[in-house]
């Protein structure tokens, strides 16, 4: 059973989500009305994932608040919103595991929570192009890379696609933070990307990233 800490401004929204998740064998271990209302409750609750209901709020504002709080470094975060595509790319950059439409089914929500708690990044099919514009069909075939990615760089690229930060990549591969940073820089250079998100998008187009 997955343990969920819930943030929702409206008591009605909290109750509705609790009922949806209860039917999916998920356990609500704590709840708060806002991100800034969290204190020690989150750590005390020993939650597996943080679910934020932002359906009635600005997705940009919620994402910036989460980014500033550094909560994404402590616990996987899933955000429900009415306008996910507006901020999908920024959400991934902020370390949020999933930014999903609030109208997704209870089965989909439960699956997204399980995936996020396992370290995966979840995107609704309608949000993929918004998060990764470079995934859109190209008018011309991609040119061959001047220098192919090494096996280790492909591993790191896959971890970037999963939303892992440099420190997490270093821990997974048992390498130093400096080496992880070096691999990321090499990947961006070889793919001709200016950001980690763009590198992942280009990796998807080239078949270097498994979805």
């Amino acid at each position: 059973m997955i343990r969920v800490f819930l943030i929702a401004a409206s008591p009605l929204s909290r109750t509705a989500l609790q009922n949806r998740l209860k039917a999916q064998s998920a356990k609500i271990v704590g709840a708060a009305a806002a991100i800034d209302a969290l204190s020690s409750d989150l750590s005390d609750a020993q939650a597996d994932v943080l679910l934020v209901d932002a359906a009635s709020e600005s997705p940009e504002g919620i994402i910036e608040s989460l980014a500033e709080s550094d909560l994404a470094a402590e616990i996987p975060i899933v955000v429900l919103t009415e306008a996910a595509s507006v901020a999908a790319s920024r959400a991934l950059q902020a370390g949020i595991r999933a930014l999903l439409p609030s109208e997704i089914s209870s089965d989909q929500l439960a699956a997204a929570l399980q995936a996020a708690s396992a370290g995966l990044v979840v995107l609704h099919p309608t949000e993929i192009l918004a998060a990764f514009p470079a995934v859109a069909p190209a008018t011309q075939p991609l040119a061959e890379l001047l220098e192919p990615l090494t096996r280790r760089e492909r591993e790191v690229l896959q971890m970037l696609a999963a939303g892992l930060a440099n420190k997490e990549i270093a821990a997974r591969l048992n390498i130093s933070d400096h080496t992880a940073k070096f691999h990321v820089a090499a990947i961006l250079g070889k793919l001709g990307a200016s950001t980690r998100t763009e590198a992942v998008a280009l990796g998807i187009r080239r078949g270097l990233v498994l979805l």
Side-chain angles (χ1 to χ4, degrees), residues 58-197:
S58 162
E60 292 89 349
I62 289 291
I63 289 167
E64 292 308 319
S65 295
L66 287 168
E68 292 171 4
S69 71
D70 283 332
L71 280 172
E74 301 176 23
I75 186 172
I77 299 174
V78 174
V79 177
L80 298 178
T81 179
E82 295 290 351
S85 60
V86 175
S89 179
R90 175 61 183 130
L92 295 181
Q93 291 173 349
I96 294 169
R97 297 290 183 180
L99 186 71
L100 302 169
S102 57
E103 69 271 13
I104 62 171
S105 69
S106 296
D107 288 345
Q108 290 175 320
L109 176 57
L113 292 170
Q114 289 283 0
S117 69
L120 300 177
V121 171
V122 183
L123 281 177
H124 193 270
T126 59
E127 314 303 336
I128 291 176
L129 290 183
F132 303 113
V135 176
T139 55
Q140 297 181 350
L142 289 170
E144 290 293 324
L145 293 176
L146 294 178
E147 184 179 357
L149 269 60
T150 64
R151 181 186 61 81
R152 177 49 59 89
E153 287 167 354
R154 292 179 66 144
E155 284 183 285
V156 172
L157 179 59
Q158 189 69 46
M159 293 181 186
L160 291 179
L164 271 62
N166 288 353
K167 287 186 177 181
E168 294 174 298
I169 292 172
R172 292 277 184 94
L173 297 177
N174 196 27
I175 58 178
S176 68
D177 292 356
H178 176 77
T179 301
K181 185 177 180 180
F182 175 82
H183 285 316
V184 172
I187 291 167
L188 267 60
K190 289 181 179 181
L191 294 178
S194 56
T195 66
R196 297 158 73 97
T197 300

